[in-house]
């Protein structure tokens, strides 16, 4: 009897710790996501917005490495919906990857679609979000992937784990803000607040009572699973008087890297250890925007979001709590400090498989552009309309998804001619480029990759119209970040400095403002995979393309067949 009681208590404990279900690893877990409107009040005003299960941020998905999870998504909203698990590579199964008109047509209002989350090598923190218009501002949540049974964290087991989801808040409906920007051609209005776990914090009106609080015990260690779910803003994040040790990023572990602050770009995740080793008190954790505020884009959210780390015990807390020192909002050198120090573990249990040489070498420029308007009547730079591009092609979404067009041989949906090189070569980061470079072409072009080709992509920012950072995200893969720098990439000199020993393994990497990054991966996951800037307005303006990775010869190197309930186009 006592034994039964003990087992029962243990099960309750596991349920409380892991949100239920994770102990029965053999059975595939099934979750229900109901996308519906809910009303939320922030900054003294109330609005209706789309949520999952009425929660904001949405529910956390807990899993173990290698697990498959099934999510039944019910669209009870009024709009079409697309759903994506950011950083889950979905081996051979692009069908439920989710980006609009890339791998699927919409889950229509009133309908249901079953999405598989197929975990393989990912371990750490990833996230899920809507992948249509700007709905992901409110439809997002964390995915936490624990080590498999019998394996351990490559660091001392933390005493507790806490998701920290950074976001943005608009008083208005975000898609209205987007449509207004598209109508005038201007930069859409920036957010009204930044958020930590859905709350703006003490420094905003009517927000003090909701501020997120993390209670800690002196001497213990906490694993913060930090996600930047903001639509647009890159963020500096720090905790007053405490250092943070980065131990993972984008669902992959790293060598420990201790810093006073981190820079986290939209789409990225960081696993960070926080040691509660300071005088018991209340301390602010805070985030501000990093922005180069380029010539034509001085719209960024210049507010400060805070949450509180409070030590347990009896003492009189300082009031107000101290704020952390954060870099100046436009400090680009500060913005690359974490990227500069990140290394993968590259040990026996976490090997580094970076391709030492590559047979497919691509050079992609990422640019801000503009279209002229009659009488310079638009709201963008000098009366033009904002646009953006990769290799000067501003992407046009098709109306049938590229994956189905490819699989079923439907012609006229996309072209195969995405160029390996920009159409014009010039001094990309020169400050005084002639206006003629600002006009992009438009198209729905993709690049076809042979199965198992070894790919290098150099992503180069340009000063066309306005230089800025671009967090580029690839679906279906993580890649090794083998090099980066400021200025123009030099094909003779820069590859000599590549890190081919322990480069970090990421799914989102920020191309520095007026700089470049080089990434490598082996194209061993057949399917159609989206590549895009994770700054949402840049995506809206066309900074995206896709890869089609062909099947290999063996059946295990081929795409799996589609599910029977693919949403119709
Ligand atoms: Cu986080 Cu294509 O998305
Ligand atoms: Cu961008």
């Amino acid at each position: 009897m006592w034994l039964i009681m003990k087992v029962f208590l243990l099960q309750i404990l596991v349920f409380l710790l892991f949100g239920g279900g994770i102990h029965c690893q053999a059975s595939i877990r099934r979750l229900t996501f109901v996308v519906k409107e809910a009303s939320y009040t922030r900054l003294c005003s109330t609005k209706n917005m789309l949520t999952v299960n009425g929660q904001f941020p949405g529910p956390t998905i807990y899993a173990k490495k290698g697990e498959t999870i099934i999510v039944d998504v019910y669209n009870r909203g009024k709009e079409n919906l697309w759903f994506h698990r950011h950083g889950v590579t979905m081996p051979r199964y692009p069908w439920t990857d989710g980006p609009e008109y890339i791998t699927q047509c919409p889950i229509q209002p009133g309908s249901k679609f079953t999405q598989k989350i197929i975990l393989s090598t990912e371990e750490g923190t990833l996230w899920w979000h809507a992948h249509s218009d700007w709905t992901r501002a409110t439809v997002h949540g964390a995915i936490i992937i624990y080590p498999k049974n019998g394996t351990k964290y490559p660091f001392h087991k933390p005493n507790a784990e806490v998701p920290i989801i950074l976001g943005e808040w608009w008083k208005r409906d975000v898609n209205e803000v987007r449509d207004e920007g598209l109508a005038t051609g201007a930069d859409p209005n920036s957010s009204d607040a930044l958020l930590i776990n859905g709350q703006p914090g003490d420094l905003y009106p009517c927000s003090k009572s909701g501020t997120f609080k993390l209670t800690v015990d002196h001497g213990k260690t906490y694993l913060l699973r930090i996600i930047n779910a903001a639509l647009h803003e890159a963020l500096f994040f720090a905790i007053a008087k405490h250092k943070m040790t980065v131990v993972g990023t984008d669902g992959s572990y790293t060598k420990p890297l201790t810093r006073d602050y981190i820079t986290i770009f939209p789409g990225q995740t960081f696993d960070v250890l926080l040691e509660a080793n300071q005088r018991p008190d209340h301390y602010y954790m805070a985030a501000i925007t990093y922005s180069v505020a380029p010539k034509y884009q001085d719209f960024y959210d210049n507010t400060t979001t805070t949450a509180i780390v409070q030590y347990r015990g009896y003492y009189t807390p300082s009031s107000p709590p101290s704020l952390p020192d954060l870099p100046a909002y436009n400090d680009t050198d500060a913005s690359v400090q974490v990227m500069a120090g990140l290394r993968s573990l590259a040990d026996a249990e976490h090997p580094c498989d970076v391709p030492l040489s590559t047979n497919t070498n691509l050079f992609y420029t990422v640019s801000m552009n503009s279209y002229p308007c009659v009488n310079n009547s638009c709201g963008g730079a000098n009366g033009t309309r904002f646009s953006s591009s990769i290799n000067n092609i501003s992407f046009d979404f098709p109306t049938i998804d590229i994956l189905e067009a490819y699989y079923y041989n439907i012609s006229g949906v996309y072209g195969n001619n995405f160029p390996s090189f920009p159409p014009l070569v010039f001094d990309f980061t020169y400050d005084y480029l002639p206006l003629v470079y600002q006009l992009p072409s438009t198209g729905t072009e993709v690049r076809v990759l042979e199965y198992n080709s070894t790919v290098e992509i150099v992503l180069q920012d340009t000063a066309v119209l306005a230089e800025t950072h671009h967090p580029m995200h690839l679906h279906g893969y993580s890649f090794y970040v083998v090099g980066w720098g400021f200025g123009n990439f030099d094909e003779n000199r820069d590859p000599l400095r590549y890190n081919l020993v322990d480069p970090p393994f990421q799914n989102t990497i920020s191309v520095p403002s007026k700089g470049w990054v080089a990434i490598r991966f082996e194209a061993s996951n057949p399917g159609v995979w989206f590549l895009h800037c994770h700054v949402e307005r840049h995506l809206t303006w066309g900074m995206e393309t896709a890869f089609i990775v062909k099947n290999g010869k063996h059946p295990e190197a081929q795409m799996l067949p589609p599910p029977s309930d693919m949403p119709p186009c």
Side-chain angles (χ1 to χ4, degrees):
M1 181 62 191
W2 173 230
L3 186 72
I4 295 175
M5 275 292 286
K6 270 210 289 203
V7 169
F8 182 67
L9 286 174
L10 193 74
Q11 279 187 353
I12 292 185
L13 189 72
V14 168
F15 185 84
L16 290 175
L17 282 175
F18 297 105
I22 199 149
H23 52 298
C24 44
Q25 233 214 315
S27 61
I28 287 185
R29 283 190 316 123
R30 208 163 184 133
L31 307 172
T32 301
F33 274 24
V34 180
V35 181
K36 59 178 181 192
E37 282 206 350
S39 116
Y40 275 81
T41 304
R42 299 284 186 272
L43 308 177
C44 325
S45 68
T46 301
K47 73 170 181 180
N48 285 336
M49 59 192 220
L50 273 190
T51 60
V52 167
N53 301 350
Q55 286 170 249
F56 176 70
T60 300
I61 298 178
Y62 297 91
K64 288 201 176 180
K65 185 178 179 181
E67 243 191 325
T68 291
I69 294 167
I70 308 257
V71 187
D72 293 313
V73 183
Y74 294 84
N75 184 2
R76 301 261 163 80
K78 297 187 204 95
E79 308 284 336
N80 286 340
L81 182 81
W82 286 259
F83 236 81
H84 171 57
R85 277 98 6 232
H86 179 115
V88 179
T89 61
M90 306 289 286
R92 303 165 57 205
Y93 198 74
W95 297 104
T96 61
D97 184 45
E100 66 181 323
Y101 296 118
I102 303 298
T103 59
Q104 96 181 52
C105 284
I107 308 171
Q108 282 157 8
S111 67
K112 174 205 164 195
F113 178 56
T114 298
Q115 291 200 307
K116 267 195 206 171
I117 308 181
I118 306 173
L119 297 171
S120 53
T121 55
E122 306 87 352
E123 185 173 327
T125 308
L126 296 172
W127 60 300
W128 55 265
H129 61 78
H131 214 306
S132 35
D133 48 44
W134 287 13
T135 304
R136 79 170 172 86
T138 59
V139 176
H140 61 246
I143 304 178
I144 293 180
I145 309 160
Y146 295 108
K148 272 189 184 155
N149 288 343
T151 66
K152 291 206 248 81
Y153 292 123
F155 43 85
H156 205 72
K157 193 171 186 312
N159 296 90
E161 306 194 4
V162 199
I164 300 285
I165 302 180
L166 306 174
E168 283 174 283
W169 183 265
W170 277 264
K171 289 185 185 167
R172 291 167 56 202
D173 179 286
V174 276
N175 286 315
E176 255 174 53
V177 174
R178 164 192 183 257
D179 293 345
E180 191 179 87
L182 286 177
T184 62
D187 222 350
N189 283 352
S190 62
S191 43
D192 300 301
L194 303 171
L195 305 173
I196 297 178
N197 288 346
Q199 293 291 346
D202 295 3
L203 308 184
Y204 298 84
C206 315
S207 302
K208 209 162 176 143
S209 63
T211 299
F212 174 72
K213 291 197 176 77
L214 168 62
T215 307
V216 299
D217 288 310
H218 191 273
K220 292 197 170 160
T221 302
Y222 297 82
L223 174 58
L224 309 185
R225 297 176 174 277
I226 310 173
I227 297 166
N228 186 347
L231 287 188
H232 306 303
E233 309 293 25
L235 298 166
F236 288 128
F237 174 87
I239 302 168
K241 308 265 190 318
H242 291 75
K243 290 193 184 294
M244 295 179 287
T245 301
V246 175
V247 291
T249 183
D250 285 5
S252 177
Y253 295 122
T254 61
K255 296 198 170 93
L257 177 71
T258 302
R259 286 285 184 268
D260 291 325
Y261 62 88
I262 60 167
T263 316
I264 180 165
F265 290 88
Q268 291 184 322
T269 72
F270 281 106
D271 289 351
V272 156
L273 294 176
L274 163 69
E275 268 181 68
N277 57 7
Q278 294 301 304
R279 187 167 55 82
D281 200 346
H282 288 190
Y283 298 91
Y284 275 132
M285 56 173 92
I288 60 165
T289 298
Y290 157 60
S291 167
V292 294
K295 298 174 278 233
Y296 303 111
Q297 285 190 289
D298 46 7
F299 284 165
Y300 70 98
D301 186 329
N302 64 2
T303 62
T304 305
T305 179
T306 55
I308 295 174
V309 176
Q310 57 182 21
Y311 282 68
R312 226 187 293 269
Y314 298 99
Y315 56 87
T316 314
S318 8
S319 177
S322 50
L323 272 166
D325 291 326
L326 285 161
Y329 81 94
N330 60 355
D331 188 340
T332 293
D333 287 332
S335 81
V336 298
Q337 285 313 310
V338 171
M339 164 156 106
L342 271 190
R343 304 282 181 269
S344 63
L345 285 177
D347 60 19
E349 272 131 83
H350 310 86
C352 167
D353 293 323
V354 59
L356 297 179
S357 62
T358 52
N359 58 22
T360 307
N361 296 304
L362 308 172
F363 186 88
Y364 285 8
T365 51
V366 287
S367 299
M368 304 300 299
N369 302 87
S370 67
Y371 294 115
C373 293
V374 185
N375 299 330
N376 297 332
S377 57
C378 292
N382 303 322
T384 62
R385 160 181 302 283
F386 279 118
S387 174
S388 61
S389 67
I390 303 180
N391 277 354
N392 210 43
I393 302 179
S394 185
F395 190 81
D396 228 359
F397 280 93
T399 50
I400 296 178
D401 63 281
I402 295 177
L403 175 60
E404 284 177 272
Y406 170 63
Y407 194 78
Y408 298 111
N409 260 317
I410 305 167
S411 62
V413 175
Y414 64 89
N416 277 340
N417 292 317
F418 196 87
S420 317
F421 213 73
L424 289 173
V425 175
F426 49 90
D427 180 355
F428 298 116
T429 52
Y430 183 57
D431 271 325
Y432 306 98
L433 291 168
L435 292 177
V436 19
Y437 293 133
Q438 287 185 14
L439 185 68
S441 61
T442 47
T444 312
E445 295 298 328
V446 308
R447 166 89 202 190
V448 179
L449 296 171
E450 294 301 324
Y451 181 77
N452 258 353
S453 47
T454 45
V455 184
E456 173 172 304
I457 314 176
V458 174
L459 295 153
Q460 170 78 56
D461 182 39
T462 76
V464 169
L465 190 66
E467 69 275 7
T468 185
H469 50 272
H470 298 287
M472 300 300 292
H473 171 49
L474 178 60
H475 290 216
Y477 291 87
S478 279
F479 44 73
Y480 291 97
V481 182
V482 295
W484 67 275
F486 288 112
N488 296 325
F489 175 73
D490 178 332
E491 60 174 336
N492 297 316
R493 202 187 58 210
D494 289 322
L496 302 175
R497 300 187 294 122
Y498 280 176
N499 175 4
L500 299 177
V501 177
D502 56 359
F505 195 48
Q506 295 178 251
N507 62 52
T508 307
I509 185 66
S510 186
V511 182
S513 185
K514 280 198 189 174
W516 58 271
V517 292
I519 63 174
R520 286 187 177 187
F521 62 97
E522 194 177 86
S524 52
N525 188 14
V528 175
W529 305 111
F530 203 23
L531 171 73
H532 65 92
C533 181
H534 221 284
V535 170
E536 203 65 27
R537 60 187 193 284
H538 298 177
L539 170 58
T540 304
W541 289 331
M543 192 175 281
E544 60 264 8
T545 177
F547 290 106
I548 292 179
V549 178
K550 289 207 217 159
N551 280 335
K553 287 210 186 66
H554 298 287
E556 322 78 75
Q558 295 174 358
M559 246 167 69
L560 296 165
S564 55
D565 64 343
M566 276 303 278
C569 291

